[in-house]
Amino acid sequence: MRTIIEPFRIKSVEPLRRTTPEQRENILAGAGYNLFQVRSSDILIDLLTDSGTSAMSTEQWAAMMRGDESYAGSESFYRFEQAVRELTGFRHVIPTHQGRAAEHILFSIMCKPGQSVPNNTHFDTTRANIESNGARALDLPFPGTSDTQARLPFKGNLDVEALEKLMEAEGPSKIPLVMITVTNNSGGGQPVSMANIEAVRKVTTRYGVPLYLDACRFAENAWFIKRDEPGYADLTPREIAQKMFSLADGCTFSAKKDAFANIGGFLCTNNSKLAEQETNLLILTEGFPTYGGLAGRDLEAIAVGLEEVLQPEYLEYRIASTAYLGRHIADHGVPIVEPPGGHAIYIDAGRMLPHIPRAQFPGQALAVELYRHAGVRSVEIGSVMFGAEARHELLRLAIPRRVYTQSHVDYLVEAILEVNQRKDKIRGFEIVSQPQFLRHFTARFQPV
Ligand SMILES: *Cc1c(COP(=O)(O)O)cnc(C)c1O
């Protein structure tokens, strides 16, 4: 059979609330045309983020009932630790309440002012945690990423040549660690090849600098390697993921992505001295080392989720479903970041709405129009979010895991194509009020 189906059936449902166009017009005006300010009950299909929005399985809910809420030495911690160790092979496993807490602890211990941390592309919390320790967060994306339309595999790769040059110029004492983000979230959800991780590993070994994975979407990345990289078709996603982790000295992880959990994260390292310092900081900021800011039941959900996410039927459906959305809108003239990534489709709003200048936020205009037309929530990733540093004006449609069905995806395709048909009538926005930092969450807009 050719048809790829959702490899699950639905046991518990959550009703969707429909709104009328008039209601949505009022909701938009009340929210200052900022979708972060809209209540979730006023959203029909919510593609704001894939973080913490997964549907958990019957096995995860069952495991949660087994949660051991002991302060010290919880059985749930040992099950969690074993699941993480079997997957990653790392010696020390430190639970945290989410990914950014792992980043905070890692960079507080490893980074000093004046140092630089290179990455294919830093996620925004990663960048902020490096910079708040006085170090510099450096993006070294593979040069092919600047053209959103190029259909190359592994556009998430790190630019190894640029890394070599940096190492030579600054020396290992100025580079406390190198990171690779899999998949490259801020770079369009694009995967990183095993060959690229190996090439980066060679450089870091030569200079004696540790390599860390920002591993939030390790399973989606493993599937792309299996599908597209020569030599990996016959390995299981687990074997590929294990090989990815074996090339690194440690990792940070948000369990809100590829562990199907609603909260949680962890930090891993093979370095016992670092682990001791990290654990001491953990106790200060997150909690005792056998719970790290999480309930025992959360640790159980993560342990089960790490198994389930590597099931080939799930990954095949997941990547095919995202690609289906991307192909069906792109083949009818909507410019997306090519090729479709793992967890999201990014529409190139700057290219789609050339009549709206950057200063009038084409990505925001498209986000508002998609909500107005179809009740769909998405998020601008462009000049509203990054100001003058924005490289592209994108609209991200992030797909929650195991939540929406094929008919929801068909509804999305129809909605986006209808908006595309009358794109010439979409107008830009200006900012009425904004806070000093992270303005995209609370800024208010008005149509120009
Ligand atoms: C989500 C994410 C993080 C941060 O994780 P949180 O759980 O949201 O704190 C870090 N890096 C990447 C690539 C992410 O996608």
Side-chain angles (χ1 to χ4, degrees):
M1 296 277 304
R2 272 179 41 240
T3 308
I4 295 171
I5 60 170
E6 289 88 352
F8 48 81
R9 57 183 179 177
I10 297 164
K11 175 172 244 155
S12 176
V13 299
E14 205 178 352
L16 295 174
R17 195 173 81 89
R18 283 187 181 267
T19 48
T20 64
E22 297 72 44
Q23 285 172 328
R24 290 197 291 278
E25 205 56 66
N26 286 332
I27 289 162
L28 280 168
Y33 298 92
N34 184 338
L35 297 173
F36 279 104
Q37 298 297 317
V38 176
R39 294 176 72 131
S40 66
S41 58
D42 291 330
I43 307 286
L44 186 67
I45 296 187
D46 202 345
L47 307 184
L48 184 68
T49 178
D50 65 318
S51 177
T53 52
S54 299
M56 289 208 295
S57 67
T58 48
E59 289 302 321
Q60 283 180 295
W61 284 108
M64 284 178 84
M65 289 304 291
R66 215 169 40 222
D68 173 358
E69 306 302 344
S70 304
Y71 190 98
S74 155
E75 278 303 305
S76 299
F77 171 75
Y78 294 112
R79 277 191 283 271
F80 160 87
E81 184 188 45
Q82 191 184 350
V84 177
R85 273 212 190 121
E86 274 176 12
L87 169 65
T88 67
F90 294 127
R91 220 167 296 146
H92 304 282
V93 180
I94 297 171
T96 59
H97 82 277
Q98 53 183 92
R100 69 197 67 185
E103 294 169 348
H104 170 72
I105 291 172
L106 177 69
F107 301 133
S108 299
I109 304 275
M110 288 193 82
C111 293
K112 290 190 188 66
Q115 294 184 321
S116 301
V117 180
N119 199 329
N120 45 359
T121 313
H122 287 283
F123 183 65
D124 52 7
T125 61
T126 320
R127 170 175 292 278
N129 273 302
I130 290 168
E131 289 174 349
S132 81
N133 282 292
R136 186 166 63 127
L138 210 60
D139 290 342
L140 301 179
F142 166 69
T145 53
S146 54
D147 177 6
T148 60
Q149 302 305 293
R151 291 196 193 181
L152 303 169
F154 303 112
K155 274 169 94 179
N157 282 355
L158 188 146
D159 185 345
V160 181
E161 227 170 277
L163 179 67
E164 290 243 43
K165 278 197 191 127
L166 178 79
M167 289 286 195
E168 218 160 282
E170 304 215 347
S173 65
K174 288 275 180 66
I175 319 264
L177 73 160
V178 174
M179 292 195 89
I180 304 179
T181 304
V182 294
T183 57
N184 190 348
N185 185 4
S186 305
Q190 303 284 339
V192 178
S193 69
M194 193 73 83
N196 189 248
I197 304 175
E198 286 172 325
V200 172
R201 169 84 259 182
K202 263 198 193 134
V203 176
T204 56
T205 301
R206 181 141 32 89
Y207 285 90
V209 171
L211 172 63
Y212 275 67
L213 295 182
D214 178 342
C216 296
R217 297 178 183 81
F218 72 96
E220 291 174 3
N221 201 84
W223 186 260
F224 281 108
I225 290 175
K226 181 175 171 66
R227 199 189 68 180
D228 295 337
E229 190 164 352
Y232 290 96
D234 295 334
L235 268 61
T236 64
R238 170 172 290 271
E239 287 165 343
I240 295 171
Q242 284 169 331
K243 178 158 185 195
M244 287 162 50
F245 285 113
S246 75
L247 293 164
D249 300 288
C251 74
T252 56
F253 185 72
S254 167
K256 302 174 73 173
K257 322 294 175 41
D258 268 356
F260 300 122
N262 301 125
I263 197 73
F266 55 79
L267 169 62
C268 290
T269 178
N270 280 334
N271 183 323
S272 302
K273 217 169 117 208
L274 275 180
E276 193 183 323
Q277 291 173 285
E278 288 164 356
T279 303
N280 288 337
L281 185 54
L282 181 85
I283 294 170
L284 201 65
T285 58
E286 292 282 292
F288 192 73
T290 58
Y291 73 86
L294 292 168
R297 54 181 169 271
D298 298 324
L299 296 167
E300 297 277 358
I302 295 167
V304 176
L306 288 175
E307 297 276 331
E308 290 180 351
V309 76
L310 287 163
Q311 288 166 2
E313 309 76 42
Y314 162 73
L315 285 168
E316 179 184 42
Y317 136 79
R318 167 75 173 164
I319 303 301
S321 178
T322 306
Y324 178 98
L325 172 61
R327 281 275 60 83
H328 278 74
I329 61 173
D331 292 349
H332 289 89
V334 177
I336 64 166
V337 175
E338 292 279 9
H343 69 293
I345 293 297
Y346 296 67
I347 298 176
D348 189 337
R351 202 176 256 269
M352 177 174 166
L353 306 172
H355 60 286
I356 303 180
R358 296 191 86 167
Q360 292 178 11
F361 310 121
Q364 188 66 22
L366 188 56
V368 168
E369 195 57 29
L370 195 54
Y371 177 71
R372 178 185 277 134
H373 184 64
V376 173
R377 174 153 65 179
S378 51
V379 64
E380 192 261 14
I381 303 214
S383 293
V384 174
M385 193 174 276
F386 297 125
E389 282 172 44
R391 267 179 280 181
H392 299 289
E393 301 298 329
L394 303 178
L395 183 74
R396 187 182 76 179
L397 310 164
I399 320 292
R401 293 170 182 78
R402 304 193 294 205
V403 170
Y404 294 114
T405 66
Q406 178 62 25
S407 56
H408 290 121
V409 178
D410 284 326
Y411 174 90
L412 285 168
V413 170
E414 185 179 342
I416 294 163
L417 292 181
E418 284 180 5
V419 167
N420 189 48
Q421 267 173 7
R422 46 188 180 74
K423 63 183 175 185
D424 299 339
K425 300 208 181 72
I426 300 175
R427 286 156 56 204
F429 281 85
E430 62 189 15
I431 290 180
V432 181
S433 65
Q434 57 179 309
Q436 199 180 351
F437 299 110
L438 297 172
R439 66 177 178 178
H440 52 285
F441 291 126
T442 52
R444 296 183 71 84
F445 301 85
Q446 66 184 19
V448 291

